[in-house]
Amino acid sequence: MRWLDVVRRSVTPWGWALVATVAVGAVVSRALGWTEALVAAVAAGALIAGAVPWVVGERWARARIGLSAERVPVGSPALALVEISRPTRALTPRQVDLDVGGEDAVLDIPPLEVGGTVLRSVPLDTSRRGLRTIGPATLLRTDPFGVLERRHRLTDTRTLVVHPRTVRLPGGAAGVVRDLDGEAAAERTADDVSFHSLREYAPGDDRRLVHWRSSARYGELLVRQFEPSRRADTLIVVSTDPDEYDGDDFELALSLVGTLGLAALADRRGLRVVESPRSERSGAEPVDAATRERLLDALAVLEPTSDHGIAAAARASRGVSAGSVAWLITGSRASPRTLRTASNGMPSGVVSVVVRAAVGAVPARSRLGDADVVTVGAVEDLARGVRHGAPQ
């Protein structure tokens, strides 16, 4: 039964010793007639009975837990805020314990009047990207003899999301092709905004595209044809193969993904973010990039767990609707051959930019086949490179 489990967990080791004393003393006094054993049993029973009022009844305190911010970038300050009140005339507890990532933070409580409150703050560790579970706040009630103890849960848990650090890029940096003017393409279309030339009318052509003035001049029907303009959508492919990263390279890579993704969203460009596939035959795994918060939340929990690197990720991303530019993000251990394979794996007409995250490396830019290869040692290097023309 549940109440039996509560009783069992409420008895301390000292309390179990007293219980044993009661049982053994009662048996010995009855069997051998020892008065001393009976006295010991009665004394132990009295201690147990005297401890009960200290752990039963209503709580001695109430608490609420909050966060100074639910989402913060790496390294930004964050606090857990605990408000503790005294609801009744019962004695105020001296301390409340707060679980912070598996470790208890002890909050000292001053004497409070009935209905009084006190606010305590606990600094939170934001040095690493990820999720931090804060709470619950608990109150340990025990008696002066240490026979019984009971822990009350005062609050639920809260979650702090620590995002990768990002920087702001110049406008338009996350795309390569302008939105309407586009980039000249080899194919021609009958419906766009960039006029290219005239051609002879063919059955099935839309009569609205007939250029009547030129048709009258040359004595035959001529229709307009256009250059298709491509929207400057952005595709970001990030490798989650731990073999391609060294040290904190993966953390830098996610900062680069977040920086490029936020720049694309700020420019209102189409954005798709994918990670390495789970298997050779599966497609690239999508990362939720619908909004700023959803993108950063997804990056906060992304881990390098795939056996497939940037080459496999680029190849798998061909099934994703690509735009004009693809950023291929990997680590310092990826070989030039792997980078070349990755850039060659993108669809024709898509500008590939390979970014190597190498913490502490000197920023560099090189050419590998038809792709730019940019090496960055810090996320700020990407912003400086874009501002000075690489890659645009």
Side-chain angles (χ1 to χ4, degrees):
M1 292 184 178
R2 184 177 179 181
W3 68 271
L4 286 177
D5 185 60
V6 172
V7 171
R8 180 182 58 79
R9 289 186 287 106
S10 299
V11 181
T12 65
W14 166 236
W16 285 116
L18 292 178
V19 171
T21 301
V22 172
V24 173
V27 171
V28 170
S29 65
R30 183 177 181 83
L32 303 179
W34 288 3
T35 305
E36 294 83 354
L38 179 60
V39 171
V42 172
L47 287 176
I48 295 173
V52 171
W54 293 85
V55 296
V56 298
E58 61 181 314
R59 301 171 182 175
W60 292 355
R62 291 177 183 168
R64 294 189 303 171
I65 185 173
L67 300 175
S68 58
E70 293 186 352
R71 296 173 173 85
V72 296
V74 167
S76 296
L79 297 174
L81 306 173
V82 183
E83 182 184 73
I84 303 165
S85 62
R86 181 186 181 187
T88 67
R89 294 184 178 276
L91 293 177
T92 306
R94 295 183 179 180
Q95 67 183 41
V96 169
D97 299 325
L98 178 66
D99 188 336
V100 181
E103 298 182 0
D104 284 337
V106 178
L107 309 179
D108 294 327
I109 309 302
L112 296 174
E113 300 292 336
V114 176
T117 61
V118 62
L119 184 66
R120 290 288 183 262
S121 62
V122 179
L124 302 177
D125 179 19
T126 61
S127 61
R128 301 290 294 181
R129 171 188 59 88
L131 304 181
R132 304 287 184 273
T133 301
I134 315 301
T138 58
L139 169 66
L140 181 63
R141 295 174 59 179
T142 186
D143 62 277
F145 316 110
V147 177
L148 303 175
E149 64 180 21
R150 185 179 176 189
R151 186 168 291 277
H152 286 283
R153 180 175 175 141
L154 302 180
T155 68
D156 292 328
T157 61
R158 300 290 298 272
T159 301
L160 173 70
V161 184
V162 182
H163 291 159
R165 194 169 70 87
T166 60
V167 298
R168 186 173 182 179
L169 292 182
V176 173
V177 183
R178 287 179 297 170
D179 215 356
L180 287 178
D181 292 340
E183 188 179 77
E187 67 271 16
R188 298 291 176 257
T189 180
D191 185 14
D192 216 297
V193 295
S194 181
F195 173 77
H196 179 263
S197 61
L198 297 173
R199 62 170 175 82
E200 293 182 1
Y201 175 84
D205 285 340
D206 190 342
R207 292 181 178 274
R208 290 175 297 179
L209 298 177
V210 174
H211 195 279
W212 296 106
R213 181 175 299 179
S214 298
S215 298
R217 182 182 303 172
Y218 289 97
E220 59 180 332
L221 288 178
L222 300 175
V223 295
R224 303 178 184 89
Q225 61 179 357
F226 302 86
E227 289 180 352
S229 55
R230 294 179 297 166
R231 183 170 177 81
D233 291 347
T234 299
L235 172 66
I236 302 177
V237 182
V238 57
S239 168
T240 52
D241 181 1
D243 292 337
E244 294 186 351
Y245 295 95
D246 186 24
D248 285 335
D249 287 352
F250 186 70
E251 300 302 318
L252 174 58
L254 294 188
S255 291
L256 298 174
V257 173
T259 295
L260 293 168
L262 294 185
L265 292 174
D267 291 339
R268 297 185 178 180
R269 302 179 185 274
L271 173 64
R272 290 175 176 82
V273 181
V274 297
E275 58 172 298
S276 297
R278 296 290 182 259
S279 65
E280 285 287 351
R281 296 184 178 181
S282 63
E285 295 291 327
V287 176
D288 189 353
T291 64
R292 172 190 176 92
E293 283 192 352
R294 287 166 66 175
L295 171 61
L296 294 178
D297 286 352
L299 295 179
V301 297
L302 192 61
E303 296 296 338
T305 57
S306 177
D307 294 330
H308 305 284
I310 191 62
R315 182 171 59 253
S317 69
R318 293 178 67 93
V320 178
S321 177
S324 58
V325 59
W327 297 85
L328 309 180
I329 314 295
T330 186
S332 59
R333 289 185 175 179
S335 65
R337 181 179 179 180
T338 299
L339 301 183
R340 182 185 295 274
T341 303
S343 61
N344 291 340
M346 302 308 298
S348 60
V350 175
V351 178
S352 299
V353 183
V354 180
V355 182
R356 296 175 62 249
V359 175
V362 176
R365 181 188 179 191
S366 60
R367 194 74 179 169
L368 187 64
D370 294 331
D372 283 311
V373 178
V374 181
T375 299
V376 296
V379 66
E380 292 82 5
D381 297 337
L382 182 63
R384 286 193 291 266
V386 169
R387 190 177 298 114
H388 290 88
Q392 288 270 22

